[in-house]
Amino acid sequence: MNTIRTHLGARLFLANLAVIVIGVVVLSITTTLTIPVAFNRHMGAIDQTAMGGMGMGQGNTMMDPLFENFRASVFESLTYATLASVLAALVVSLFVSRRIVAPMHKLSIASQRIAEGHYLERVQIDGEDEIAQLAARFNGMAAQLEQTETMRRQLIGDVS
């Protein structure tokens, strides 16, 4: 639980995972509710046109196994599709969260080095997004700190 609170990547990953789970639940509920209605509507049309004169439309005894096979095949197809989409979404989510967290990790290391007195530390800027803007501002701050430290040393040297 502490990892989730302290790591942006873990929170991003869990947010994407929550979206995936909600999508799968909605997909499952929707198919469960719509398959019988769609099946009955389409089989009713077949029953009226093709089997209407043969006495096949009087009961559901013939339709029950057909409907169960239809439902099983639809659920099997949807299960495979859902597993493939979840796997793809997890891989993409992991890739995206790592791409977001990596620059933040570099900023963290650079800020620690500056706190230790290494004022020449800078962060490489890639892109133009918010993280790149943060890195540019960080580099500006580091340059200001370096300049202030240089002026302080010069002042101490001049005073001595």
Side-chain angles (χ1 to χ4, degrees):
M1 209 54 169
N2 193 28
T3 302
I4 295 169
R5 283 185 228 166
T6 58
H7 295 321
L8 177 63
R11 286 186 292 181
L12 287 169
F13 183 75
L14 286 177
N16 287 329
L17 189 61
V19 169
I20 292 168
V21 168
I22 290 170
V24 169
V25 168
V26 168
L27 178 70
S28 298
I29 290 171
T30 304
T31 55
T32 300
L33 295 175
T34 59
I35 285 175
V37 174
F39 179 79
N40 288 335
R41 184 178 61 245
H42 289 285
M43 292 310 291
I46 291 173
D47 187 33
Q48 288 175 358
T49 58
M51 295 183 242
M54 294 185 224
M56 302 288 268
Q58 274 106 25
N60 284 338
T61 56
M62 185 175 166
M63 295 296 184
D64 288 342
L66 182 61
F67 176 70
E68 290 305 319
N69 287 330
F70 171 73
R71 185 193 326 227
S73 65
V74 167
F75 277 128
E76 181 180 343
S77 296
L78 286 175
T79 300
Y80 291 137
T82 300
L83 289 174
S85 64
V86 166
L87 181 63
L90 286 174
V91 168
V92 169
S93 175
L94 188 61
F95 175 74
V96 168
S97 63
R98 285 187 183 209
R99 285 213 35 153
I100 291 172
V101 172
M104 300 299 284
H105 184 67
K106 289 177 184 177
L107 278 168
S108 176
I109 290 170
S111 67
Q112 180 62 37
R113 300 239 333 126
I114 287 176
E116 293 169 353
H118 304 281
Y119 297 109
L120 295 175
E121 190 74 28
R122 299 294 185 273
V123 178
Q124 183 179 350
I125 300 171
D126 296 325
E128 297 181 19
D129 59 359
E130 291 88 353
I131 295 174
Q133 292 171 6
L134 177 63
R137 289 184 182 119
F138 178 86
N139 287 340
M141 179 193 69
Q144 287 288 352
L145 285 171
E146 180 185 0
Q147 183 181 15
T148 302
E149 181 63 19
T150 302
M151 288 172 35
R152 185 187 71 81
R153 286 184 181 167
Q154 185 178 10
L155 177 65
I156 289 174
D158 291 345
V159 170
S160 323

